[in-house]
Amino acid sequence: MIHRGRPATIDVPDLTLTEYVLGREPTDGDDRVALVDADRTERITYAELGADVAAVAGGLAALGVRPGDVVALISHNQPVYAVAVHGIVAAGAAVTPINPAFTAAEIAKVLRASGASVVIAAVPAAAAVAEAADAAGVAHRFALGEHPGFRPFAELRGCGLAAPRIEVDPATAVAALPFSSGTTGLPKGVRLTHRNLVANLEQNRVGWPVGADEVLPASLPFFHIYGFTIILNTGLAARATVVTLARFALDDYLRMLQEHRATRAFLAPPVVLQLATAPAVDDYDLSSVRLAVCGAAPLDVAVAERAEQRVGWPIRQGYGMTEASPGTHQVAEDEFATTPAGSVGRLLAGTDGRLVDPATGEDAAPGEPGELWVRGPQVMPGYLDDPGATAATLVDGWLRTGDIARVDDDGVFWIVDRLKELIKYKGYQVPPAELEALLLTHPDVLDAAVVGVPHAEGGEAPKAFVVAARPVGAEALMDWVAERVAPYKKVRAVEFVERIPKSPTGKILRRELR
């Protein structure tokens, strides 16, 4: 049975991402604030944004960047992030956003895999980026500020060159190349075309219409597809004001909501938990916020209800994944009051869904849960240079999500379990295979498996089961891993076992470990 979003089809403008976000109406002379950081030390108007994006595109073109190239962007949230993103895209290149908390080795992997020819980095990440760029052979380096060995990004912003005339097909040209672990395995480059991203902006706008008079707080990172599409580009396309927060801390976030009079909030489950429990919430005036959307990981209903009582605005979930740009489901604003808490709402406009029995590959019986498959114009054409993973994830045009869902008679969906092995710590993807591969390089480890276990702060966290070759301390092993991965990937518990349970084909039986 195929479930359909409402409306069942949607018109997708034949535009590049930057044309859609910034080019549908002129920015010349528009002195409205497009982006401002939470403490108001940097602000960019729409007029400045349009001019700076054009100059950066021209500067990159002069450097030799052409359609089909890739430019890496490694930064925390700050107003100039938008200038870099759309300067890259306006030059015809694809942007590959990278977490600035990554180690040099992790950054180098993405630089190599993406084939980036230019890297743009925030100053705090520049030392690690320099080491990674050396390892990956990336010569062109710009810093969003001043840092030895990097040219200042201000050179591009101030070069005075016009944006190049580019000819790309929005339906096939890649605009963004984020790296995701998909349903299993190691991170893979997700090829998102201009059409994918523009379609998802149009789809989300049906149920979540953002006005030009709104203020969108951006604490969730722009390098994550949630922040990239749902906050940054949604806000700019609506000519709203986007307020950036470099690093989440509850008091800083609440102060941003209060002082900037934010109109809606974008949350992840750990933030909802803090809103439900932290005494500091009572010290701030949050009355300007009308509603909140939570994504990136499942949200506990009881926690959400407690948070709603504290803050005074409704919180509902959305659903998606990087491979879908990211949205596939939403609770429309006008249905917040009538949609059951705990659901992820309905399929987006122009999106189809199926529930498939993972054991048989046939559609699940009516009323029964099954793996959620979706299709629509927001779904990626495939992974970068990985036809095997693409074939396993895209089946006859359907995207296999790896999540088990159910749907009621009104077309409202619930996520009830998952097939995929990813661990979600504070909404960030932690692929167990990556940690297992790292642990197996330790001289005292014979075998290892990693699973997600409940975690009070992060929702879920990695726990390692280890077969040791000789005595080794759990804390020492966790410290060793922590030195080699981004902080959110750290192993937070270790249990030593005599063997790792595996299937006859060698697949780790994670459910037995859980």
Side-chain angles (χ1 to χ4, degrees):
M1 178 179 179
I2 295 178
H3 304 271
R4 302 192 188 280
R6 297 185 298 191
T9 60
I10 189 168
D11 292 330
V12 181
D14 192 33
L15 299 171
T16 68
L17 177 64
T18 299
E19 288 171 341
Y20 177 88
V21 171
L22 297 179
R24 291 179 300 164
E25 60 181 85
T27 57
D28 296 348
D30 189 344
D31 61 359
R32 289 176 296 174
V33 176
L35 302 114
V36 59
D37 62 359
D39 60 8
R40 293 188 171 90
T41 57
E42 182 185 5
R43 65 192 291 274
I44 300 174
T45 67
Y46 275 99
E48 292 166 339
L49 180 60
D52 288 353
V53 164
V56 169
L60 290 173
L63 202 65
V65 173
R66 298 289 183 268
D69 289 344
V70 175
V71 177
L73 176 57
I74 307 161
S75 175
H76 56 273
N77 286 8
Q78 54 180 321
V80 73
Y81 196 105
V83 177
V85 164
H86 287 288
I88 293 165
V89 174
V95 58
T96 191
I98 302 175
N99 187 341
F102 275 9
T103 65
E106 291 170 317
I107 295 170
K109 286 180 183 178
V110 178
L111 294 180
R112 291 191 192 98
S114 67
S117 58
V118 180
V119 63
I120 300 170
V123 170
V129 171
E131 182 181 340
D134 286 343
V138 181
H140 298 300
R141 308 168 190 184
F142 292 88
L144 299 172
E146 302 283 342
H147 195 276
F150 288 74
R151 294 169 62 183
F153 185 71
E155 285 185 12
L156 294 175
R157 292 179 76 177
C159 71
L161 296 174
R165 292 184 176 274
I166 60 170
E167 292 187 8
V168 298
D169 180 357
T172 58
V174 175
L177 187 64
F179 276 71
S180 167
S181 298
T183 56
T184 61
L186 299 174
K188 299 173 282 291
V190 178
R191 298 167 55 242
L192 297 177
T193 67
H194 294 270
R195 179 177 172 81
N196 291 151
L197 294 161
V198 168
N200 207 227
L201 289 167
E202 279 286 295
Q203 291 169 313
N204 280 295
R205 193 164 66 92
V206 173
W208 296 336
V210 176
D213 60 343
E214 294 204 51
V215 177
L216 307 191
S219 60
L220 297 173
F222 294 149
F223 62 76
H224 190 288
I225 194 67
Y226 182 178
F228 184 87
T229 296
I230 305 301
I231 307 176
L232 177 62
N233 285 315
T234 290
L236 296 180
R239 293 297 189 266
T241 297
V242 178
V243 186
T244 64
L245 188 64
R247 184 180 180 86
F248 182 86
L250 183 62
D251 279 297
D252 292 340
Y253 178 70
L254 296 172
R255 188 177 302 111
M256 174 175 65
L257 296 182
Q258 173 181 280
E259 294 182 356
H260 290 270
R261 306 303 293 165
T263 56
R264 61 184 70 208
F266 302 91
L267 309 172
V271 180
V272 179
L273 177 61
Q274 291 190 59
L275 293 176
T277 59
V281 172
D282 297 328
D283 297 334
Y284 294 88
D285 176 8
L286 308 178
S287 60
S288 62
V289 178
R290 296 189 296 105
L291 53 85
V293 175
C294 185
L299 176 63
D300 182 82
V301 174
V303 170
E305 290 174 345
R306 290 175 61 193
E308 288 179 336
Q309 293 172 0
R310 296 283 307 284
V311 299
W313 17 273
I315 301 171
R316 290 294 181 268
Q317 294 186 79
Y319 176 81
M321 55 194 299
T322 305
E323 289 82 350
S325 303
T328 64
H329 293 69
Q330 68 176 194
V331 178
E333 289 184 21
D334 59 7
E335 295 184 342
F336 263 46
T338 57
T339 301
S343 78
V344 296
R346 305 180 192 278
L347 289 159
L348 288 180
T351 305
D352 296 339
R354 292 171 60 193
L355 298 181
V356 177
D357 185 332
T360 66
E362 302 294 329
D363 283 359
E368 293 297 315
E371 183 186 6
L372 176 62
W373 291 21
V374 294
R375 68 181 177 191
Q378 73 271 46
V379 172
M380 67 167 186
Y383 294 113
L384 177 69
D385 299 331
D386 198 335
T390 297
T393 304
L394 295 177
V395 180
D396 297 328
W398 292 93
L399 170 64
R400 300 185 57 182
T401 69
D403 283 315
I404 303 297
R406 66 180 177 88
V407 59
D408 67 18
D409 293 338
D410 293 326
V412 175
F413 284 74
W414 279 260
I415 304 300
V416 297
D417 199 355
R418 69 175 182 223
L419 289 173
K420 56 190 176 187
E421 298 172 349
L422 286 177
I423 301 162
K424 286 289 190 78
Y425 178 78
K426 293 188 174 181
Y428 292 111
Q429 295 181 344
V430 182
E434 182 178 349
L435 293 174
E436 288 158 359
L438 177 60
L439 283 164
L440 290 174
T441 67
H442 191 286
D444 297 331
V445 173
L446 282 178
D447 202 358
V450 176
V451 302
V453 295
H455 187 272
E457 181 184 356
E460 192 177 35
K463 176 181 178 178
F465 292 82
V466 173
V467 179
R470 59 188 65 85
V472 58
E475 289 291 337
L477 204 54
M478 287 189 286
D479 290 343
W480 183 85
V481 172
E483 292 173 358
R484 291 161 173 80
V485 298
Y488 69 87
K489 296 181 185 177
K490 292 192 298 185
V491 171
R492 299 179 188 260
V494 171
E495 181 176 333
F496 293 99
V497 295
E498 292 186 1
R499 66 177 185 86
I500 302 297
K502 296 180 182 180
S503 72
T505 60
K507 183 177 178 62
I508 295 171
L509 300 176
R510 299 183 199 278
R511 289 186 181 273
E512 289 190 15
L513 294 171
R514 291 191 188 97

